[in-house]
Each structure stands twice: as C-alpha cells, then as structure tokens.
Amino acid sequence: MCGIVGFTGRRAAEPILLAGLRRLEYRGYDSAGVATIDSESRLVVRKRAGRVAALEELLSQSPAAGECGISHTRWATHGPANDLNAHPHIGGAGRVAVAHNGVIENHAQLRDELTRLGYVFQSQTDTEVIAHLIAQELKKDLDLFSAVRAILPRLEGTYGLAVVAPCEPGVLIGARMGSPLVVGLGDGEHFLASDSSAIAPHTQSVAYLQDGEVVRLTADEFNLEHLERGSIVPRVDRIDWKPDDRELGGVPHYMLKEIYEQPNTVRDACRGRIRRGEATAQFGGLNLTAAKLRRVRRIVFAACGTSLHAAKIGEYLIERCARIPVEVEYAGEFRYSNAPLDDRTLVFVLSQSGETADTLGALREARRRGHPTLAIVNTVGSTIAREADGGIYLHAGTEIGVAGTKSFAAQVVVLSLLAIYLGRLRHMSFTAGLEAIDAIESAPEPLQKTLAIEPLVVAAAERIANSKSVLFLGRDVHHPVALEGALKLKEISYIHAEGYPASEMKHGPIALVDPETPCVVVAPRGPLHAKTMSNIEELKARRGVIVAVGTEGDRELERRADVFLPIPDVPEIIQPLVAVVPLQLLAYHVALLLGRDIDKPRNLAKSVTVE
Ligand code: M6R
C-alpha cells in the first residue's frame, strides 16, 4: 500500500529516496513522487502516475537536487491515480510538502474551511488539506515542527506523515497515528520510512514511532515528542537485514521464487519449536503458562485474506487435536461486531505483514475488552507484533509477491504445531502427538515432490486461462485450501473464482457449471474422499471440466478428472500444506499465460494499511 521514505543528511537525497521507493514497490501502489529542498532552499517536486520507473524517467530529465527530501508511493483512496493526486502534496503555494499514508476522515470539512480561507486545491486527495493546514500555521511564524504539531489534533483518521519545507532546509518532520513510521539513525544522517525495509541497506539502527508521536530530524539531531506527554527519549532497536534478501536469483517472479521456498519455509517455521521427548511443540513468545492455556474454552482467530484461510485450517486442526472450539472472524468485521467473548476466550490475530489495518483494529478491540491478545506474524517489529501481548513469528523471511504463498505455508505449520501443543495439554496421546510432529517435520520432502509437477500444472493452466469463471471445491480441511486457490487465481489472473465446500455445490453454485466453467477439486485420499467423488460425478453430469488435485496413484480420481494433479500420499495433518502448492502454481501459470503483472497485480497492495 502507500509507502513513505524521507532523508536528511549530507549527500544527495534523490537516489536514496528512489532506492527506498523501489524497495517498497512490492507493497502495491499506483503513483509515486519526491520532494526535495535544494541548495538554494527551493522546493522541488516531481510526481508521476504509474510505476517508480516512470518517476525515475522524469527525474532523469528534471532531477530533484538537495540533501533533504521526502518521497511516496500512493495507493489511490481519494481520487484516481494521476500525476496531480500523487504525493507529495504542496501547501500554501510552495511553503511545505507532505507525504501521507492513511486516511483523513474529516477532510471534507477541512477542505471547506481552507477553501474559505482562499486555499486552492490541486488534487482530489484527503492529504492536501494537511499541507494547507501546515502552511496556514507557518504563516503565523511558527517553526515547522510546531506548525505540524499544531495541526495534528485537527486530523481525524489515520496518518503516517513526512514533511519538509523550504523555510527550514535540512529539517524533516514525521508524525504517526495508526500508520507505521520508523526513523533510521545513520552516521550524520537520518531516514524516515513507513517500513524499515526501505532504509535497511543504509542503517539497521531504527526507532519505531508510536501513535501520537512527532519527530524532528536533521542530519545530526533526532527530537521526539508525544502530542500529550511532551519530549521522549527514543528507543533504538536493531533490525536484521541480509543484502541478498530480495534477489530474484534468476527466477522470473518473486511469487514463483516464494512458492519454491516453501520446503525451507516449513523447516524454518519448525526450528526450535519441537519437543520430541514430550511429543509436543513449544513457543517462546506466547507469554501464557500451560496452566492458563489449559483453562481456555474457546479460541477466536481474526485475520484477512490468505491469513484468514490459514486460520480456517487452524480451526479444523485445533478442534481435532485439542477439542477447543475455534471461530475464525474476518478481522475487519470482528472489531465492529461486538461478538460475545467470555473471559476464557483466547484471541489470536494472524498477519503476514503485521500492519494490516483491519487486523490491527481487531487486536486493539480484543485488548480493549480485556482479552490477552496473541499474534501470529511474519514481519518482525511490525505494529501487530509490537502491540500483541504475546505471539509466534513465522520466520518465513520477506515475502515480496503480493500474493501470499510461503507465508501461508508458515502459518499452516505454526497452527499445526499450536494444535499439537494445545492437544497435548489436554487429551492428545503421546503417540498421536509424535505422529503429527513426524508428519510436519517430514513435509519438506513431499512439498519438493509436489513442486516437480509444475509441467502438469502448466497443462491445467492452459485449460483454464480462457475461462471467465472458475470454481474451487474441497471438503473439510480442504475447503480453506479451495478458498485459497480461488483467492490466488482471482488476485493475479483477474479471472473470477470462488471457493466452496464441495458439499455446498448442489445448494446453488452448481447452476454455474458448464463446459466453460472449470471446477478445481481438492480431493486427496481421506475419510471424505468417497463423498467428494460423488460431488465430482454431479459436476461431470453437468458437463463440468474437472481439474483434480489428488493423491498419486488414485486411479479412480485420475479417470474422472480432465486434468489430474497428483500430490504425494501424506498424513492428513499436512495435506493442506501440500495440496495448496498445485493451486499456487496454477494461479501463477494462468497469470503468466495472460501476461499479468504477477508480483504487483492491479489494485492490490502487499500490506493493506487502510480500513
Ligand atoms: O499481511 P496480512 O496477512 O495481514 O494480509 C492480509 C491480506 O491482505 C492478504 O493475505 C491478501 O489477501 C493477500 N494479497 C493474499 O495473497
């Protein structure tokens, strides 16, 4: 989603800002811009709709000189993606430039008020009001920091802000309310970013801003204040950064690279978490004793998108292994639903990015109601990770493709281990615990084998690529796998796709079945296999085209399917982990055939920081 990068120091800002924006590109955006203060204290602004490459092209013709500046990638909320709506926005005819992440909910009233004062708006964005409000304060002879501080209480909604002004060259202001912002501490220079990965190549010393904090940075100074509590001493953390984290290494897309990383993802998610001698799992950061966990009567998972589908798999596994009732809630609904939760309900949120606004909102709502909140998160140091009372990191490494793949695998592994841990605190036997652990630890091998069926998936993709709509079906724990397959396909190929329990077909969706609407059926061998086979017959009777994901050697399924995608015969607990791989590859190859922008699909963002 929107990204911010700011810099102040003693070297050219433009290359640092551009490189930072490039590192944020994976988050999804539709325009980009920079604003710098040049050596003659003039404000230089360059903006372009489209990719950072278009901005780079513009800058190659008209550079933005200066050693202090801000930059932004915008994901349109108010007003379409065009040059005028791109950030930074200018206030008071060149007095100040502002880059903003978040949404200002009272922008319409502020716009009316500023229009009455004579301000002329150039854009349709909510952000431009911030720029004019600051300009109005600067007219009163306030310094830039005081001017920003003065207007913040007037903003309703969320913001991460970066501000520069020609009246104070070398000064960079940042402010946070609900939208992440981090300061990077360099040697005689400071950075500001919405995501530490944007500045990680320059410094690994960072200070995360909290809501209500405002920062003033120059090359040598770092002053932090809270809007109500005044001056604060910043807490500096170190981030992990490996220079090769983002190399494609010859693979054409990050999504494909990340699909292929999954055997390792499983190993990393298991590392240090298995206590074989006791046939259970362990988690360092849960911050809840076994005694407290034994008292839990109900678990609520709140998440969005792919994380929600992983949670649904967790629901099946925990109910099976630990017999604790689990409910999975859309995070964006949970926070407003006022669902009854008793004091023995444990609330988990799941998020790859750790920044999803809906999921963060769910976490805060659960905490407000006095529940211990736990998070299953990939991004270390993200807002959700920092705000939760305890949690589990996925250790999946940076995921760059907008379509989540390896993070899903890591979530499913963590949830499987959690199911075993909770089960072993109750009635799961030593033998059952050990069998489940063995299965999870052995998963990298069948995953590797499944990746090898890619050529067969290409053939399936050819059957699907011209369809207008595709149905994904599965029973039991394979229903969430089907949902995930449908989400992957629609996200990156833009083909309409829906996931259903195979049993539900006859209650309505079967009306859609015809030779032009392929059905992808997830049907590995298991207790409900015969039922799924009957559902396949029902589809075939309506001339449905069947792409089946099934256990290798399942001749009956192979005979009935138009395309058969075999996966190894694995224990039930790891079937979802393995069965999802052909669906990820299927979405990838359909999108490839259709020439889609696979890693940056239209309209989508990697981390969705607005409600
Ligand atoms: O970072 P999160 O796991 O909180 O993100 C949740 C969803 O926005 C995300 O899973 C989205 O659905 C992905 N694009 C899935 O591929």
Side-chain angles (χ1 to χ4, degrees):
M1 199 146 262
C2 302
I4 289 177
V5 187
F7 172 76
T8 178
R10 295 185 180 86
R11 51 184 173 139
E14 186 196 293
I16 296 168
L17 299 176
L18 267 182
L21 291 187
R22 282 228 171 269
R23 294 182 67 79
L24 294 182
E25 275 197 292
Y26 75 97
R27 296 167 58 117
Y29 68 99
D30 38 44
S31 60
V34 301
T36 55
I37 310 295
D38 74 8
S39 55
E40 288 167 43
S41 301
R42 285 177 308 209
L43 181 62
V44 184
V45 183
R46 307 278 182 259
K47 320 197 277 188
R48 266 289 180 271
R51 297 286 182 220
V52 172
L55 174 67
E56 213 162 359
E57 169 75 32
L58 173 69
L59 285 165
S60 69
Q61 290 147 22
S62 325
E67 297 176 343
C68 174
I70 58 177
S71 61
H72 191 261
T73 45
R74 171 178 188 252
W75 185 82
T77 58
H78 297 64
N82 59 32
D83 292 355
L84 283 178
N85 288 333
H87 297 211
H89 288 284
I90 309 305
R95 273 179 188 268
V96 64
V98 174
H100 165 223
N101 287 356
V103 171
I104 303 303
E105 286 164 2
N106 60 336
H107 71 99
Q109 292 116 275
L110 294 170
R111 182 180 271 254
D112 287 348
E113 177 188 320
L114 287 157
T115 307
R116 281 196 296 276
L117 287 172
Y119 287 92
V120 179
F121 281 78
Q122 306 295 325
S123 76
Q124 292 149 285
T125 65
D126 52 334
T127 301
E128 198 178 340
V129 298
I130 306 176
H132 292 313
L133 283 173
I134 298 172
Q136 180 68 11
E137 294 301 315
L138 287 174
K139 275 191 192 164
K140 300 176 190 164
D141 277 346
L142 290 182
D143 60 59
L144 184 60
F145 185 68
S146 308
V148 174
R149 234 179 159 289
I151 65 111
L152 293 178
R154 303 210 55 204
L155 304 180
E156 288 168 20
T158 54
Y159 54 79
L161 291 180
V163 184
V164 289
C167 58
E168 288 183 54
V171 174
L172 170 60
I173 307 291
R176 173 190 167 142
M177 184 64 75
S179 206
L181 217 50
V182 60
V183 173
L185 292 80
D187 189 8
E189 55 191 24
H190 283 109
F191 305 82
L192 187 67
S194 51
D195 181 331
S196 59
S197 66
I199 53 175
H202 303 289
T203 178
Q204 286 86 58
S205 295
V206 298
Y208 294 98
L209 263 61
Q210 305 297 324
D211 281 352
E213 291 182 355
V214 199
V215 66
R216 177 182 183 277
L217 302 167
T218 66
D220 302 308
E221 293 164 301
F222 175 0
N223 302 312
L224 185 63
E225 281 191 17
H226 188 278
L227 282 176
E228 281 151 21
R229 297 195 287 276
S231 185
I232 319 174
V233 179
R235 192 191 119 168
V236 178
D237 289 312
R238 291 224 35 104
I239 48 168
D240 273 349
W241 180 71
K242 294 189 215 84
D244 60 348
D245 251 8
R246 284 154 188 263
E247 295 303 317
L248 268 170
V251 183
H253 296 97
Y254 284 107
M255 181 181 179
L256 190 63
K257 175 174 176 268
E258 287 156 5
I259 291 173
Y260 271 83
E261 280 171 6
Q262 290 179 108
N264 265 334
T265 308
V266 172
R267 290 186 193 99
D268 291 342
C270 287
R271 192 156 292 133
R273 290 183 169 150
I274 290 178
R275 271 164 54 195
R276 178 161 284 279
E278 291 169 40
T280 189
Q282 61 182 13
F283 299 100
L286 275 185
N287 301 334
L288 281 176
T289 60
K292 281 205 174 128
L293 284 170
R294 275 186 55 79
R295 280 180 43 78
V296 170
R297 273 226 203 101
R298 184 172 160 228
I299 292 176
V300 170
F301 286 133
C304 308
T306 288
S307 295
L308 181 110
H309 298 155
K312 281 181 179 286
I313 292 174
E315 173 184 3
Y316 282 97
L317 299 179
I318 290 173
E319 291 190 344
R320 219 151 276 178
C321 296
R323 294 206 196 291
I324 304 172
V326 178
E327 275 156 54
V328 180
E329 305 274 355
Y330 290 103
E333 298 297 315
F334 172 81
R335 64 185 299 194
Y336 299 114
S337 68
N338 198 25
L341 305 176
D342 68 22
D343 62 352
R344 287 165 76 174
T345 301
L346 199 57
V347 179
F348 273 93
V349 297
L350 291 92
S351 174
Q352 186 288 126
S353 61
E355 301 294 350
T356 302
D358 288 327
T359 312
L360 179 60
L363 172 94
R364 288 179 176 165
E365 172 62 10
R367 196 181 48 202
R368 186 192 66 74
R369 292 168 64 173
H371 291 272
T373 51
L374 299 169
I376 297 177
V377 170
N378 192 34
T379 308
V380 178
S382 55
T383 308
I384 291 177
R386 283 182 285 119
E387 290 200 11
D389 297 316
I392 306 172
Y393 276 123
L394 299 176
H395 298 308
T398 314
E399 187 177 68
I400 295 187
V402 162
T405 52
K406 64 174 179 173
S407 60
F408 179 79
Q411 284 167 333
V412 172
V413 169
V414 160
L415 289 163
S416 310
L417 293 175
L418 187 64
I420 297 170
Y421 177 53
L422 294 171
R424 291 283 294 133
L425 289 178
R426 290 173 165 75
H427 46 71
M428 191 181 198
S429 73
F430 183 93
T431 318
L434 206 56
E435 270 173 19
I437 281 173
D438 281 345
I440 297 166
E441 281 200 306
S442 73
E445 199 190 319
L447 278 171
Q448 203 65 55
K449 252 183 116 181
T450 307
L451 290 166
I453 66 161
E454 194 178 349
L456 295 178
V457 178
V458 175
E462 281 159 4
R463 299 286 293 252
I464 282 182
N466 294 321
S467 311
K468 291 232 157 13
S469 186
V470 182
L471 294 168
F472 284 75
L473 309 168
R475 277 177 175 263
D476 195 70
V477 75
H478 298 303
H479 169 225
V481 175
L483 292 176
E484 178 58 9
L487 179 66
K488 288 289 88 91
L489 187 70
K490 71 181 112 180
E491 278 187 298
I492 60 164
S493 75
Y494 318 147
I495 293 177
H496 173 253
E498 290 302 331
Y500 282 100
S503 57
E504 186 64 17
M505 277 302 287
K506 54 193 175 292
H507 299 291
I510 201 161
L512 300 172
V513 174
D514 64 21
E516 268 71 59
T517 309
C519 301
V520 179
V521 189
V522 187
R525 279 206 186 105
L528 298 178
H529 185 258
K531 307 270 178 208
T532 313
M533 293 299 263
S534 306
N535 298 136
I536 290 176
E537 288 299 347
E538 290 153 15
L539 298 170
K540 285 186 74 68
R542 275 117 194 131
R543 298 191 301 140
V545 173
I546 310 292
V547 174
V549 175
T551 309
E552 60 190 0
D554 185 345
R555 300 277 167 253
E556 209 187 326
L557 180 59
E558 191 170 355
R559 229 179 6 256
R560 287 182 206 193
D562 296 274
V563 183
F564 180 57
L565 302 174
I567 61 168
D569 192 358
V570 292
E572 245 187 289
I573 191 164
I574 61 164
Q575 276 184 356
L577 199 59
V578 179
V580 79
V581 172
L583 306 189
Q584 296 168 338
L585 286 170
L586 183 66
Y588 175 81
H589 280 288
V590 172
L592 195 65
L593 286 168
L594 295 173
R596 306 299 192 220
D597 192 349
I598 293 182
D599 286 330
K600 293 183 224 109
R602 70 181 183 201
N603 303 342
L604 294 181
K606 184 67 185 164
S607 107
V608 182
T609 49
V610 293
E611 261 197 74

